[in-house]
Amino acid sequence: MKHIFNKGQNPTKPTLLMLHGTGGNELDLLPLAGRIDDEANVLSVRGNVLENGMPRFFRRLAEGVFDEEDLIFRTKELNDFLTEAAEKYEFDRNNIIAIGYSNGANIAASLLFHFQNALKGAILHHPMVPRRGIELPDLSGKSVFIAAGTNDPICSPEESVELQNLLVKANANVELHWENRGHQLTINEVEKAREWYLKL
Ligand code: MLT
């Protein structure tokens, strides 16, 4: 997958996996990585799917309606890529924290839903429930921060709570942070994510 890897100064830190929103690319979230931890490795990936020229991490049939088969395929593809990248760049495969926005948060949530050891944790900015009706792996020891908007037209507050509940049921530690805003990624929620990250 097309990506950027920046080696961090501190090898004991996690690797931050940056996953952009629809129409973004691997450059978009580099400043965000620096705000969370400027000493960690950064692996920033571009989604492999194009929708009218806009990169995404998996196909959708309509706004908010996912192509489930492609979601499953792309989730495995990303998980395999993480294993290859860990070997190539010599970072700890078991110490990856995903940071995703919107479509990127959705594929990060899908990694958690499908693979027990894909991620150590995740910061999900405005995620949706990636799939329903499946049994999640045991996510004991995994930590997830969700930032949601009370007026988010793409991801309703009910869906944010549903995602939290599904992850908690799978034994993950989950913190849900609310912004009185819509789907946008706010400076305040990034600051809250940083505070959460520092407590890990
Ligand atoms: C998705 O398709 O993943 C969500 O609708 C969020 C987005 O628009 O990227």
Side-chain angles (χ1 to χ4, degrees), residues 93-137:
R93 176 67 184 86
N94 296 314
N95 198 8
I96 299 176
I97 307 279
I99 304 179
Y101 169 60
S102 193
N103 183 243
N106 293 341
I107 192 94
S110 184
L111 281 171
L112 291 166
F113 270 46
H114 292 102
F115 298 102
Q116 185 173 28
N117 296 314
L119 302 173
K120 172 139 182 269
I123 295 173
L124 307 177
H125 294 281
H126 305 269
M128 296 166 66
V129 173
R131 275 188 81 189
R132 293 188 169 83
I134 60 164
E135 177 141 359
L136 271 61

Side-chain angles (χ1 to χ4, degrees), residues 21-22 56 58 60 62-66 101-104 106 126 128 154 183:
T22 298
R56 286 177 54 85
F58 55 88
R60 60 180 163 184
E63 171 83 49
V65 184
F66 300 158
Y101 169 60
S102 193
N103 183 243
N106 293 341
H126 305 269
M128 296 166 66
I154 294 174
H183 195 62

